[in-house]
Amino acid sequence: MTLKVLVVDDEALARSRLRTLLGDCTAPAAEAAAEAADAVQAMKALQRESFDAVLLDIRMPGVDGMALARTIASLAQPPALVFVTAHSEHAVQAFELEAVDYLTKPVRLERLQQALQKVERLSQSARTPGTDTAEETLIIQDRGRTERVPLAEVLYFKAELKYITVRTATRSYILDGSLSELEERHAARFMRIHRNALIARRAVRALEKHFDPEEGEGWAVRLNGIDELLAVSRRQLSAVREAIAA
């Protein structure tokens, strides 16, 4: 499929650049089906036809991109939002508006392609009956970049000093937050195994004997996707056994 994209930016050169990049996209293919220089033009385009995604600048004369995004989100069938801006300080606010991605100028083809792949996945899940399109995600600030990390990819949360390590099969992130809040909010997905750790219920592979230099002989869980062992406290041992047996 070829994604239909609305490009919204008050600078003609920026629109031209995005139009060229969209034409170079192949997986998925995409086209700049329409352009708008401001919020009024954008809404007229959205009323005329439907789009799979909107590439949206934030700082524009009149109604800015954030305000326009709220209006777009209120539509009966809103397109996916991808913010494109030179100003990274709006990233968290953009993701709170459920943007699919946040690209900083100058946009690279590789990053645009990644954003469009997210749009394609969202579009495909919307067409699949019984699919939950509102995938739960964590918003994580990482080295000056803001990312959405799907909860379905998280294997464990581990409290260390003032931060929480968020571990997926491919990498680790640092999250500023409370382990107790995460446990309360995502109890259906994660279970506590220790005062400092939550694990994904679906990821538990094995429970095994383990010797810890500090705590002595005890138990630990092994998770799918990583080699690391995580200690299980005596208090949580029975709950972990039940999870494995379920």
Side-chain angles (χ1 to χ4, degrees):
M1 84 182 264
T2 298
L3 297 176
K4 289 179 61 178
V5 181
L6 170 61
V7 177
V8 184
D9 197 303
D10 63 306
E11 297 181 4
L13 190 60
R15 296 196 303 275
S16 175
R17 163 75 174 161
L18 287 172
R19 189 168 61 243
T20 300
L21 286 173
L22 287 166
D24 291 337
C25 290
T26 57
E31 63 168 335
E35 296 180 19
D38 55 37
V40 174
Q41 291 181 12
M43 288 309 299
K44 286 181 179 178
L46 288 162
Q47 289 162 3
R48 285 195 308 267
E49 58 185 307
S50 61
F51 299 90
D52 296 298
V54 178
L55 295 182
L56 180 57
D57 189 22
I58 291 180
R59 291 191 179 177
M60 299 186 296
V63 177
D64 68 10
M66 289 296 179
L68 177 58
R70 294 186 185 94
T71 302
I72 292 173
S74 69
L75 297 175
Q77 292 184 308
L81 288 173
V82 177
F83 284 98
V84 183
T85 179
H87 309 283
S88 61
E89 68 267 22
H90 297 290
V92 173
Q93 189 180 359
F95 283 120
E96 287 173 351
L97 290 170
E98 298 189 353
V100 170
D101 211 335
Y102 186 98
L103 309 179
T104 52
K105 298 177 181 178
V107 177
R108 293 181 293 110
L109 177 61
E110 180 186 0
R111 279 292 291 124
L112 178 59
Q113 193 78 80
Q114 289 172 358
L116 293 179
Q117 286 168 2
K118 294 178 184 179
V119 172
E120 184 182 44
R121 287 196 296 270
L122 189 66
S123 179
Q124 288 172 344
S125 63
R127 291 194 300 269
T128 304
T131 299
D132 181 8
T133 58
E135 182 182 33
E136 286 189 282
T137 59
L138 294 170
I139 298 174
I140 294 180
Q141 298 274 6
D142 184 39
R143 282 170 276 207
R145 178 177 170 183
T146 305
E147 289 191 48
R148 278 185 184 273
V149 178
L151 272 179
E153 295 180 7
V154 176
L155 299 175
Y156 70 74
F157 297 106
K158 191 172 183 181
E160 295 174 302
L161 299 176
K162 297 181 180 179
Y163 300 98
I164 295 172
T165 296
V166 180
R167 184 73 162 89
T168 69
T170 55
R171 61 173 295 185
S172 295
Y173 301 87
I174 298 298
L175 178 68
D176 186 8
S178 161
L179 203 63
S180 296
E181 286 180 8
L182 288 167
E183 181 181 21
E184 183 177 345
R185 194 178 309 150
H186 306 298
R189 289 179 180 265
F190 296 88
M191 65 180 298
R192 187 176 287 272
I193 61 165
H194 198 277
R195 65 180 180 276
N196 68 350
L198 303 174
I199 61 169
R201 296 175 184 274
R202 59 164 182 85
V204 180
R205 187 170 79 201
L207 176 68
E208 54 190 69
K209 282 281 190 180
H210 173 65
F211 181 80
D212 185 278
E214 294 182 6
E215 299 187 14
E217 188 173 301
W219 293 86
V221 288
R222 193 175 293 278
L223 303 179
N224 291 317
I226 56 175
D227 294 328
E228 184 179 353
L229 282 172
L230 295 171
V232 177
S233 68
R234 291 184 179 85
R235 188 181 207 177
Q236 305 298 335
L237 187 56
S238 60
V240 176
R241 283 189 169 129
E242 287 175 12
I244 292 176

